[in-house]
Amino acid sequence: MTFVQPAQLQEQKQRGDVSMKSKATVEARKNRRTLFVRQTDTFEEVRGKRISQMYKAFMGISDEDEEFAPAAYASNKEVEVEVKKFPFGVVRYQPGKNWKGAMVKDVEKPFFSSDPNGRAFEAGVKPGMVIKKINGQDVLMKDFDSILESLGDERYRNYKGWTLERTKKKLPLKITFAAAAGER
């Protein structure tokens, strides 16, 4: 007994086979792969550090961001925030001079009352604040990457390929921010 598929299913199968092997599709796939590989293999100098274009894109590092000196924030007013769950809501951090310190550049505002992405905003975190301490340990002058690793930052986590379970082990976090330059 031979089972024959309906003509419509046979036609879809043939179209799928042909389209996945067509010259245009194969060429597009090669171009996407080349672009991805080029981002990981192409490096550039950003503020004295050689980084890949992929790292720059993942972290959202912008050439327009002005450098800041983390030490200048040492005496600014402090804001302490406890992170009990991810996501926290800080969208982007910026490295300081010589890649020391981390400044908050973008904070996500909540779209609804219990939006988990708005936790940082609701806790009073604002763009321009600098991370001063994590769990009581002074990180003001630490390396940018080590600060983001300590935070379990979402972008850094995705860039490194870490699982959320790995970073959940860091919770809860007590982060002390130094207020922005104009606030003392």
Side-chain angles (χ1 to χ4, degrees):
M1 181 169 171
T2 308
F3 178 76
V4 179
Q5 292 183 335
Q8 187 180 18
L9 288 176
Q10 288 179 347
E11 184 181 315
Q12 285 177 346
K13 184 177 179 185
Q14 287 175 346
R15 267 195 317 229
D17 290 347
V18 172
S19 67
M20 291 307 293
K21 294 178 183 176
S22 72
K23 272 188 170 181
T25 305
V26 169
E27 192 63 32
R29 193 169 43 240
K30 284 181 184 176
N31 289 341
R32 281 193 307 273
R33 178 71 185 148
T34 302
L35 179 64
F36 178 77
V37 170
R38 191 175 300 138
Q39 280 186 333
T40 58
D41 291 345
T42 306
F43 291 84
E44 62 182 272
E45 276 299 306
V46 177
R47 298 186 183 154
K49 184 176 180 180
R50 192 166 183 246
I51 61 171
S52 70
Q53 286 182 344
M54 186 173 195
Y55 177 85
K56 185 178 179 183
F58 253 101
M59 300 309 294
I61 296 171
S62 173
D63 296 329
E64 288 83 40
D65 293 337
E66 290 187 30
E67 278 192 325
F68 72 96
Y73 289 78
S75 60
N76 287 16
K77 184 179 100 181
E78 294 182 356
V79 176
E80 190 170 294
V81 175
E82 186 171 5
V83 179
K84 295 178 183 175
K85 288 182 176 181
F86 289 121
F88 178 50
V90 175
V91 179
R92 183 170 75 95
Y93 294 95
Q94 170 196 337
K97 197 172 267 184
N98 298 323
W99 289 79
K100 303 291 183 198
M103 177 187 279
V104 174
K105 288 306 286 182
D106 296 315
V107 179
E108 193 165 329
K109 293 179 181 168
F111 285 108
F112 49 90
S113 62
S114 59
D115 186 0
N117 289 313
R119 291 182 183 128
F121 181 82
E122 290 171 348
V125 179
K126 299 175 190 161
M129 292 181 144
V130 174
I131 297 175
K132 194 170 182 180
K133 296 177 187 173
I134 300 173
N135 290 335
Q137 181 184 5
D138 186 25
V139 296
L140 191 61
M141 295 301 294
K142 282 207 167 184
D143 185 60
F144 179 70
D145 289 329
S146 67
I147 293 171
L148 294 186
E149 188 173 335
S150 298
L151 289 173
D153 177 65
E154 187 173 359
R155 285 178 181 239
Y156 194 76
R157 179 176 68 229
N158 291 340
Y159 175 73
K160 291 289 190 179
W162 295 346
T163 61
L164 184 57
E165 282 70 38
R166 177 179 174 172
T167 52
K168 276 185 178 178
K169 292 177 186 173
K170 298 176 183 290
L171 296 175
L173 289 171
K174 287 193 181 200
I175 306 171
T176 305
F177 292 92
E183 302 176 36
R184 286 195 176 250

